[in-house]
Structures are given as structure tokens and as C-alpha cells.
Amino acid sequence: MSRTENVDVVVVGGGPAGSTIGSLLAKSGHTVLILERETFPRYHIGESMVSGMAPLMEELGLIEELDARFQHKSGISLRWGRDPEPWRSDFSAAFSATGSHFTHAWHVTRSEFDQLMLDNARKLGATVHEAAHVTEILRDETGRVTGVAYTQDGESRRATGRFVVDASGQGRVLTRQMTETTWQEDLRNVAVWTYFDSYTPIEYKDDILVEAIQGGGWVWGIPLSDTRLSMGYVLSAGKLSEATRGGRTQGDVFLDCLESSHLARTMVDLGAVGELKTTRDWSHVCDTFHGPGWVAVGDSAAFIDPLFSSGVWLGTSAAWLAARAIGAALEDAEQEQLALERFDTLYRQMFKDILAYVRFFMDPTRLREEYEERALQIQKMVTQNSRVGFVSMISGVSAIADVVDFDPMNVEDVEDVMQDWDEQTAAASSTAGD
Ligand SMILES: Cc1cc2nc3c(=O)[nH]c(=O)nc-3n(C[C@H](O)[C@H](O)[C@H](O)COP(=O)(O)OP(=O)(O)OC[C@H]3O[C@@H](n4cnc5c(N)ncnc54)[C@H](O)[C@@H]3O)c2cc1C
């Protein structure tokens, strides 16, 4: 018979979202088992963090280590919009507007960052099994998720818990089976990228660089260190397939893109393009982020095009929210539905805000002022300054208060959620009666 471990919470996936929820639940005294398919360190794309993550990194006790090991990120430099002049936004402007002591984010080599996060989860008390491949979801007779089956060292094993968290990224181990997923057809893209081992920095050398490419798509430049630059191209899957007709390769298309990119021509030697990497980049969202006995966070729940580097921030913020919702449900099983519903509502709102803004911004024919004005309307900070509004929105800073103050059992907030439910139920039954 296969060996079974029993814990409070089983987490599938040890990426940033999985290690965050594992760390926080273990820190608050719950037993946690994280099952990660790979052996770390392992390669991953997603290298530029946003400053909205800083409070969570402080909560996890990682700020000093991040500062010591990774390149600071001060802001974003853009060549985007109807006006050809480059423009820039500084992350510290968003923090200054809130009186916060934080100033910056980080550009990270993900293999090292993810290892740091997973090791920290161990340090905070989570048990972590690497090379542990989850293959099956276990459910009881009511359909409630009760655990998973996995293989490790050629052996079949089981892990059971009061909750199972899907943090398996694009693997979508639970969400694939437990819910429907809506794919955003207009954001069905492909990314191609490479690394340069020397480059000429631009004026704001710590910024992420983003440039719209004539003819479609956009380019990123991420300074991982003073010598190493990550540079990639995001293009719609349809345009890429048109461009590769007649025997042209993705490499040819990438080179054409770099040749027409002002940033690439200024910063790198186009004769030194190394090994190319490529992946699908298709935004999606699950119909629900939770169900009886399970919760999904990170890419397994929702993914947005990396235009504003929001992936790790959104996934880890969701993990912070979910840790509190699961914590409340572990304390009092009767609160499970309400706590998970509240987590779902807030996470979904954060996703929708970014998605709406990415869609607006993807049109590169507007003026800087229009991009900033729209951001001001969506973001949540009290400011009339559209430049501050823009940087607060794209850095995640405007959502910090919602995330940090989230309390799934706050009575006033609960009343709001109950009222929303009542309204939704009334609307649903009147539609059903039509
Ligand atoms: C081209 C591109 C560029 C991007 N750039 C950025 C960026 O600059 N900044 C940013 O913040 N985000 C970026 N992202 C998004 C970012 O990569 C993701 O949002 C982020 O990695 C999600 O974290 P996660 O923890 O949810 O998933 P992951 O980091 O993917 O972790 C999931 C883990 O689950 C494990 N797993 C999967 N299946 C199983 C299984 N069956 N059993 C056990 N374990 C399993 C995997 O091995 C993996 O380690 C980018 C994405 C793309 C496609």
C-alpha cells in the first residue's frame, strides 16, 4: 500500500505562489506539505518583479536577501504610444504618495529567486518534497477534495489535508478538472526571448524597458545584472504564424524584431543572439478559484500577459489572501464558504483591473496622457495625479492596502459580500425565470 502523509494543507507546486502560501500557513502554525515536480534550482521565465510585492517580501523576511542578491528595479522606461519620445515612471512616486518606506522592486534570476522562496518556506516550517509529481486528485463521496496522489523516487504516495492548494502554474493540476477556464482570445500571444552577456545600459539602468514594435508586438529588456540582459519579443500567435510561413523560423522573426527595435539596436550586438527560448503566453482565468476543500492561486488560477510584469505579484498576492482565508476556515469549518468566497472576490477584482488596463494599453496608438488618465480611473489610491495613478496601477502599489488589510472574517466586509451574494442570487433567479 502507498504511504500517506496527513497535514492541514497540501500545496501542489513550489513556485512563488506555492511557496508563499506554504510559508504563511506554516508561519501561523499549520502543518503544510509542498509537493514540487522539479528539483530546484530550475529555470523559469518571469524575471521582473513589481514593487507591490515589497510588503509581502517584508512579511516573509526576505527584503535584505533580495536587496543583496538581485538587481534593484527603480521603474519602467517605455517607448510606447503615438508620441515617439521615450518616457518613464519611477516606482518610488507611488510609494511616496502613500508615505511608505519602500522604494523599489527587483529583477531576478528566477531559478535563484524561486529557490530562495522555497527554502524560506522550509525555514518557516513547511515540509517540502521536490521531484514529487502530483498525478491525481483525491475526493470523498461528496466530491470534496481531500488530498492528492503523487510519485516520488518511482514510488506512488498520497498526501491528505483539510485543503489542497493548486499552485501548479501552467500545469493547472486541479483547475483543469475542477473548473472551466476562460481564455482571452485577444491576448493569445507567443513569447520568444534570449539572454545577452554584455549590453550597453540606457540612462535609467535599473528600469525594465518596454517598446512597442511597428507592425505588432512588443519587446522587453530586463537588466538581470550589470552584464546580463534578458530580451524578449511578445507577438500574437496569429501574426507569428503568418510571419513564419514560407520556411521562416521564429528565430528569423525574432531577429527582424530586434532590428526594428530601437532598444535592441542601442543596447545589444545583434550578431550575438544566443539560444532562443519560446513559450505560449495566453491570458486566462478560471470560473472559480475555489471549491470544497480546494483553492487555486497563481498561474493555475489566472494569467495575464506579462506587459506589466504582474504575474508573480498577482500570484503571490493571491497566495497571501488565500492563506488568511484558509487559516480562518481551519479555525472554524463553518466559515469556509464565506472565507473562500471573500478571497475569490478580491482576487478576481485584482485580476480584472489589470486585465482591463493591459487591454487598453495594448493599443500603442494613444498618447501618454491617455494611458495615464485611464490608469488613474482604475487604480484605488486617493490621488488626482495621473502620473502617480499610472505607476501605482502598474506596480501593484494601488492594491497593497486591499491585500495587506484583507480579513476574511471582518464583519462589515462580510455584510458587503453577503449583500453582493443576495443581489447576484436575485439577478440569477430573475434571469432563470425569463
Ligand atoms: C513570456 C513571459 C514573461 C513573463 N514575465 C514576467 C515578469 O517579468 N514578471 C512577472 O512577475 N511575471 C512574468 N511572467 C509570469 C510569471 O512567469 C508567472 O506568473 C509566475 O511564474 C507564476 O507563478 P506560480 O507560482 O503561479 O507558477 P510557477 O512559477 O510556474 O510554479 C508552478 C510550479 O508548479 C510545479 N508543478 C507543475 N505541475 C506539477 C505537478 N503535477 N506536481 C507537482 N508540481 C507541479 C512546477 O514545476 C512549478 O515549479 C511571465 C510569463 C511569460 C509567459
Side-chain angles (χ1 to χ4, degrees):
M1 222 177 92
S2 64
R3 199 180 84 182
T4 301
E5 279 160 281
N6 186 253
V7 287
D8 293 329
V9 183
V10 179
V11 180
V12 184
S19 50
T20 295
I21 195 162
S23 296
L24 295 169
L25 284 164
K27 197 173 164 207
S28 32
H30 302 293
T31 53
V32 180
L33 173 63
I34 302 177
L35 299 170
E36 166 54 51
R37 184 178 57 191
E38 307 286 334
T39 302
F40 280 25
R42 57 98 178 87
Y43 179 82
H44 208 295
I45 189 58
E47 295 152 330
S48 194
M49 304 295 105
V50 292
S51 46
M53 277 172 60
L56 174 65
M57 294 300 114
E58 186 169 68
E59 178 73 19
L60 293 175
L62 289 173
I63 296 274
E64 274 180 23
E65 191 126 18
L66 290 172
D67 276 346
R69 287 178 55 177
F70 299 113
Q71 189 88 356
H72 284 200
K73 173 179 175 182
S74 309
I76 180 168
S77 287
L78 292 134
R79 298 183 78 91
W80 197 286
R82 202 180 316 157
D83 185 347
E85 282 306 300
W87 49 294
R88 134 170 237 274
S89 281
D90 195 314
F91 282 172
S92 62
F95 283 129
S96 309
T98 61
S100 161
H101 61 286
F102 298 113
T103 51
H104 60 272
W106 305 268
H107 300 295
V108 303
T109 299
R110 277 289 298 274
S111 53
E112 292 175 26
F113 175 78
D114 289 13
Q115 171 108 59
L116 173 67
M117 295 274 287
L118 194 60
D119 286 347
N120 199 48
R122 282 189 178 97
K123 210 162 85 188
L124 291 169
T127 302
V128 180
H129 293 337
E130 295 182 45
H133 187 173
V134 172
T135 51
E136 193 188 330
I137 305 162
L138 308 178
R139 298 193 226 179
D140 66 14
E141 60 288 351
T142 67
R144 185 183 173 90
V145 171
T146 55
V148 297
Y150 65 101
T151 55
Q152 193 182 18
D153 299 330
E155 264 184 49
S156 298
R157 299 180 179 185
R158 286 170 170 236
T160 55
R162 294 261 305 276
F163 287 94
V164 176
V165 176
D166 187 356
S168 62
Q170 303 285 345
R172 300 188 296 120
V173 171
L174 266 88
T175 52
R176 220 177 257 278
Q177 292 187 37
M178 308 301 296
T179 175
E180 296 296 314
T181 296
T182 303
W183 297 88
Q184 318 291 322
E185 278 303 329
D186 58 325
L187 293 172
R188 182 177 184 168
N189 296 328
V190 175
V192 185
W193 69 96
T194 192
Y195 296 91
F196 291 91
D197 283 323
S198 77
Y199 69 93
T200 309
I202 58 148
E203 185 181 358
Y204 295 99
K205 70 182 186 61
D206 295 342
D207 285 4
I208 184 171
L209 315 163
V210 174
E211 177 183 14
I213 296 297
Q214 197 122 38
W218 60 275
V219 162
W220 80 70
I222 299 176
L224 293 172
S225 73
D226 289 346
T227 54
R228 192 163 167 84
L229 182 79
S230 162
M231 188 162 257
Y233 180 36
V234 175
L235 184 66
S236 87
K239 284 208 164 130
L240 184 64
S241 107
E242 263 171 47
T244 48
R245 279 199 196 119
R248 298 188 76 244
T249 63
Q250 287 190 355
D252 297 333
V253 177
F254 184 59
L255 210 56
D256 285 352
C257 153
L258 295 193
E259 272 160 11
S260 59
S261 155
H262 178 88
L263 278 176
R265 288 197 314 269
T266 315
M267 297 180 77
V268 295
D269 171 3
L270 297 184
V273 174
E275 185 202 340
L276 293 186
K277 292 181 177 287
T278 183
T279 189
R280 175 178 83 165
D281 156 20
W282 191 358
S283 303
H284 62 80
V285 60
C286 289
D287 288 2
T288 180
F289 300 146
H290 73 281
W294 70 273
V295 161
V297 290
D299 282 8
S300 68
F303 172 76
I304 304 183
D305 188 275
L307 182 59
F308 291 121
S309 313
S310 41
V312 175
W313 163 74
L314 190 63
T316 54
S317 298
W320 199 0
L321 301 176
R324 277 166 282 171
I326 290 176
L330 285 170
E331 297 249 313
D332 179 354
E334 291 200 355
Q335 303 302 334
E336 176 177 329
Q337 192 185 354
L338 189 57
L340 297 188
E341 190 65 39
R342 292 219 52 225
F343 142 77
D344 198 309
T345 305
L346 183 48
Y347 183 15
R348 197 167 295 280
Q349 191 56 51
M350 290 168 67
F351 170 82
K352 282 185 179 164
D353 287 349
I354 301 279
L355 180 68
Y357 192 60
V358 164
R359 277 211 168 102
F360 180 83
F361 203 90
M362 276 288 176
D363 176 354
T365 63
R366 304 180 201 271
L367 291 170
R368 170 180 183 171
E369 291 71 25
E370 293 176 72
Y371 297 122
E372 291 175 339
E373 204 47 52
R374 176 59 69 97
L376 183 64
Q377 290 159 12
I378 298 178
Q379 63 85 43
K380 298 191 178 67
M381 280 173 35
V382 185
T383 176
Q384 298 305 314
N385 182 328
S386 59
R387 296 211 165 163
V388 173
F390 171 73
V391 74
S392 306
M393 169 83 215
I394 63 154
S395 62
V397 170
S398 92
I400 285 178
D402 279 350
V403 175
V404 172
D405 297 340
F406 176 67
D407 173 359
M409 292 296 106
N410 179 300
V411 176
E412 278 176 27
D413 290 354
V414 167
E415 279 169 2
D416 286 347
V417 173
M418 295 304 279
Q419 194 179 335
D420 285 352
W421 276 1
D422 291 345
E423 284 167 10
Q424 278 166 18
T425 314
S429 48
S430 75
T431 321
D434 286 347

